[in-house]
Amino acid sequence: MQKPDGQKLTEALAAKFASPTRSTRLTVVLGRWLGITFTVCFLTGLFSHGLQNPPAWMFFPTSPVWIYQLTQGLHVTSGIAAIPLLLAKLWSVFPELLAWPPVKSVVHGLERASIALFVASSLVQLATGLINTYKWYPWPFPFRETHYWLAWVIWGSLLLHIALKLPVIAAHWRSKRAQETAVVESAAPAVAGVLESTPEPGTSGPGRWTRRAFLTAVTGATGAVVVTTAGQSFSWLAPANFFAPRKMGTGPQGVPVNRTAGDAKVAGLAMSPKWALMVKSADSTRSFTLDELRAMPQHTHELPIACVEGWSQLAQWRGVRVQDLVAAVGAPAGSRLRFTSLEPEGAYRTMTMPAEYTQDEKTLVALELNGSVLDLDHGYPARIIAPGRPGVLQTKWLQSMEIL
C-alpha cells in the first residue's frame, strides 16, 4: 500500500485554501494592530494585578479618582478588540500551517514553536477573559492566577516571534510599495499554481477581496465589538452597550452589584441591630455603632466603583472619613489598615489598605449611596470606598478596621 505523500497533501490543501488577499504586508499590518491591543491589555492587567498583589515597589495612585476605572476599562476593551484581530491574523498566516516539511531548521522550529505557544495561550486567554466578564467559571483552574501567568507566556512568545520575524516585519512595516506576495513566503511554493493566476496586490479578482477591503472589514468588526461592549466602562458609549453583561444605571440605587448579600451569606449579621464597627489599634479598641458613625462628621464624594470584570459606575458616596476613624483611636495618619467583612468566607473577606488610601480624604467608610442609606447588596450597614481602587477591594458589610 502506497504511503501518503505529506508534501503533496499539504500542497493540495494550500492550493485549496489559497487566497490572493493574503500577503506579508497584510500580516504585518494585522500584527501591528494586534501588538498594540495586546500591549495595552498586558500593561493595564499588570497594573490591576499589582494593586491586588502589590510588590514592594508598587505605587498606589488615588488621583485622578477614575484611574482604575480607565485602566481596567481599557484592559477589558482592548482584550475584546483583540479577538477579531487575532482571528484575522490567524487567517492571514493559515497557509504556514501547511508548509512541508513542518520543521526546516532550528530557527524555523523556534519560530513555529513561538507561534504555536502564542496562538494557543492567546486563544485560551481571550476566551476565558471574555467568559470571566460574564462571571461564568466553567474551568477547574483558578482564573486570576492563570490569567496573570498566561499574560507573561503570551508576552514572552510574542517577543520571541517578533525577534525571529524582525527582518520581514521591518521590510513591510511602512512601505506600501513593498513587494507583495499573495501568501506568506513559506507557503508560496505550495500554491505556485494558484499564484500564477492571482491578481496584482491591492486589486481583486472575481469573488476576491482586496487587502484594503479585508482590512476595512476587520476594522469594522473590531470597532463594532468595542462600541457594543465598552459602554459598561465608558459612559459616553453606554447607549450603545448591547452585549456587555453590565449596564450603567442599573441595580439597586442605580449601581450594578457583583456579589449580593445572599451570595455572601451576610444578611442576618448585616441587618442585626447589634452591629457595630470595631476599630482596633495597638493601644486601644473602640466600637462604633451605626448611630455613632452617623453622628460623626459626614463627607460626600463622587467616586467610581470599578470592577476587575470591566464595568464601572460613577456614584455619590457619603460617610465617615477613614482618617477620622484612625485619629479616633490615636493612630498615625499614614497607617496601613486591614478591613474584615462580615462574610464568613471568601477570597476578599479580609483586605489590606496601603497608607496612600488611608491618607486620602476621599476614602470613606460609606453609609449612604446616591442620597439614601446603603442597600444591603451594596454593603449595608457600612462599606469601604476609596479612589482608584479595584472594586473587589472595596470591602462590603464591614465588621472591623485594624491599624497595622
Side-chain angles (χ1 to χ4, degrees):
M1 182 177 179
Q2 187 176 3
K3 293 182 179 180
D5 188 322
Q7 184 169 358
K8 287 184 178 179
L9 178 60
T10 56
E11 285 179 358
L13 288 172
K16 180 177 179 60
F17 294 110
S19 168
T21 307
R22 293 191 183 94
S23 70
T24 306
R25 168 71 179 165
L26 173 68
T27 301
V28 170
V29 171
L30 289 170
R32 196 160 59 194
W33 294 355
L34 192 61
I36 292 172
T37 59
F38 268 54
T39 300
V40 171
C41 207
F42 180 65
L43 295 178
T44 52
L46 286 186
F47 178 66
S48 179
H49 186 83
L51 292 181
Q52 297 181 59
N53 303 273
W57 50 264
M58 187 64 194
F59 63 100
F60 301 95
T62 61
S63 180
V65 297
W66 40 261
I67 187 168
Y68 188 73
Q69 181 184 27
L70 174 66
T71 58
Q72 196 60 18
L74 287 175
H75 178 73
V76 174
T77 301
S78 59
I80 291 173
I83 294 174
L85 293 176
L86 179 62
L87 294 177
K89 182 133 188 331
L90 287 176
W91 180 86
S92 76
V93 297
F94 173 69
E96 281 214 55
L97 299 176
L98 305 173
W100 193 269
V103 177
K104 300 175 183 176
S105 65
V106 173
V107 173
H108 186 239
L110 282 174
E111 177 190 334
R112 291 208 135 197
S114 70
I115 292 173
L117 191 59
F118 173 74
V119 171
S121 54
S122 296
L123 289 174
V124 173
Q125 185 82 325
L126 294 177
T128 55
L130 180 63
I131 293 173
N132 178 66
T133 65
Y134 287 83
K135 291 190 64 185
W136 182 37
Y137 307 100
W139 43 77
F141 51 81
F143 171 77
R144 191 177 61 171
E145 291 81 356
T146 306
H147 199 66
Y148 173 72
W149 288 112
L150 267 182
W152 283 104
V153 171
I154 292 169
W155 194 246
S157 59
L158 180 61
L159 290 180
L160 178 59
H161 177 62
I162 291 173
L164 293 168
K165 283 289 191 182
L166 195 56
V168 177
I169 294 172
H172 293 268
W173 182 258
R174 290 181 177 174
S175 175
K176 295 185 178 180
R177 293 176 298 176
Q179 183 66 38
E180 301 275 356
T181 54
V183 293
V184 289
E185 294 168 1
S186 59
V191 292
V194 177
L195 290 178
E196 290 174 358
S197 61
T198 56
E200 292 297 320
T203 64
S204 62
R208 303 291 190 182
W209 287 41
T210 65
R211 186 188 69 216
R212 185 170 301 168
F214 182 79
L215 288 175
T216 300
V218 173
T219 302
T222 304
V225 297
V226 167
V227 168
T228 54
T229 57
Q232 67 174 345
S233 307
F234 304 103
S235 57
W236 55 281
L237 286 174
N241 178 21
F242 299 120
F243 299 113
R246 301 293 183 186
K247 292 180 172 53
M248 290 187 175
T250 59
Q253 299 175 289
V255 178
V257 172
N258 244 19
R259 186 168 169 80
T260 67
D263 294 335
K265 302 175 182 175
V266 297
L269 292 172
M271 298 299 292
S272 171
K274 296 181 180 179
W275 177 88
L277 176 65
M278 302 295 292
V279 181
K280 309 173 185 176
S281 72
D283 300 325
S284 65
T285 298
R286 283 190 60 180
S287 175
F288 294 84
T289 66
L290 190 53
D291 286 340
E292 288 172 332
L293 288 174
R294 287 170 176 163
M296 294 179 70
Q298 302 292 297
H299 299 268
T300 303
H301 296 289
E302 295 275 346
L303 296 173
I305 182 82
C307 184
V308 293
E309 283 129 19
W311 66 267
S312 58
Q313 174 79 59
L314 185 65
Q316 185 185 80
W317 304 88
R318 182 173 174 81
V320 181
R321 292 190 305 198
V322 165
Q323 59 184 226
D324 291 344
L325 290 169
V326 170
V329 294
S335 299
R336 291 175 64 244
L337 306 175
R338 179 185 296 126
F339 291 96
T340 303
S341 171
L342 292 170
E343 293 185 69
E345 59 184 14
Y348 298 100
R349 177 176 179 270
T350 300
M351 178 271 291
T352 301
M353 174 178 282
E356 288 87 339
Y357 299 104
T358 307
Q359 293 171 319
D360 195 302
E361 65 176 15
K362 295 186 178 67
T363 301
L364 302 176
V365 171
L367 308 176
E368 297 181 17
L369 169 60
N370 285 338
S372 58
V373 174
L374 275 177
D375 186 271
L376 181 59
D377 285 338
H378 281 307
Y380 177 88
R383 68 167 298 164
I384 287 297
I385 185 72
R389 195 105 161 108
V392 291
L393 302 182
Q394 311 277 36
T395 308
K396 297 198 287 189
W397 311 294
L398 277 179
Q399 180 182 55
S400 67
M401 181 180 106
E402 183 179 357
I403 314 297
L404 299 178

